[in-house]
């Protein structure tokens, strides 16, 4: 699973924002993208013999910015890379045939429990969920 997370980070790197996995260093630099996931599950089609090499997982992509408008701008750019038009999109993972598809998300919210360091304002965030499907490359 970590190879897939690293591939997502690499795909987003040209956008220029920091991309973290599960935790964000303090103090955060806004805007940023936070990836999170489980370990994934075996694919839905078990092989007749041999190990299960398919991987199915949900990857969460949280965008955090200093304003709701900032979230919308960053989220739009992230979606255009990971799943443009919500289409299933190839993901470059060595030795794997992997792809992502955005399957849903939530509206932009302001986190009033947190203050941006040095200000009296709260950051905004939104979460998108992506279906990750990965099989051994043939």
């Amino acid at each position: 699973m970590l190879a897939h997370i690293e591939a997502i980070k690499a795909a987003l790197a040209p956008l220029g924002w920091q991309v973290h996995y599960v935790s964000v260093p303090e103090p955060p630099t806004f805007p940023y993208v936070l990836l999170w996931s489980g370990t994934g599950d075996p694919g839905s089609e078990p092989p007749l013999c041999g190990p299960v090499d398919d991987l199915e997982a949900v990857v969460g992509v949280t965008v955090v910015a200093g304003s709701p408008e900032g979230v919308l701008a960053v989220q739009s750019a992230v979606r255009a890379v990971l799943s443009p038009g919500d289409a299933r999109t190839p993901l470059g993972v060595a030795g794997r045939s992997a792809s992502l598809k955005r399957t849903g998300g939530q509206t932009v919210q302001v986190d009033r429990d947190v203050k941006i360091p040095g200000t009296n304002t709260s950051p905004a965030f939104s979460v998108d969920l992506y279906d990750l499907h990965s099989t051994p490359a043939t």
Side-chain angles (χ1 to χ4, degrees):
M1 186 68 190
L2 285 177
H4 296 81
I5 296 298
E6 292 303 319
I8 295 169
K9 284 181 168 182
L12 295 175
L15 297 178
W17 296 297
Q18 292 185 14
V19 180
H20 306 285
Y21 180 62
V22 179
S23 67
V24 178
E26 291 291 335
T29 301
F30 296 93
Y32 63 86
V33 178
L34 179 66
L35 307 175
W36 47 275
S37 69
T39 57
D41 295 317
S44 57
E45 296 286 328
L48 295 176
C49 63
V52 176
D53 292 328
D54 291 1
L55 175 68
E56 306 263 347
V58 173
V59 177
V61 179
T62 302
V63 170
V64 183
S67 69
E69 296 82 4
V71 169
L72 292 175
V74 174
Q75 191 173 52
S76 178
V78 167
R79 287 176 179 175
V81 169
L82 298 182
S83 185
D86 291 339
R88 184 158 293 282
T89 305
L91 180 66
V93 179
R96 308 286 298 178
S97 176
S99 62
L100 289 171
K101 179 178 180 5
R102 192 177 84 87
T103 57
Q106 70 180 49
T107 59
V108 177
Q109 299 178 40
V110 174
D111 186 350
R112 301 202 188 282
D113 294 331
V114 176
K115 296 294 182 199
I116 297 173
T119 76
N120 195 29
T121 60
S122 297
F125 70 96
S126 185
V127 176
D128 277 338
L129 299 175
Y130 290 81
D131 173 61
L132 169 66
H133 180 74
S134 179
T135 59
T138 55

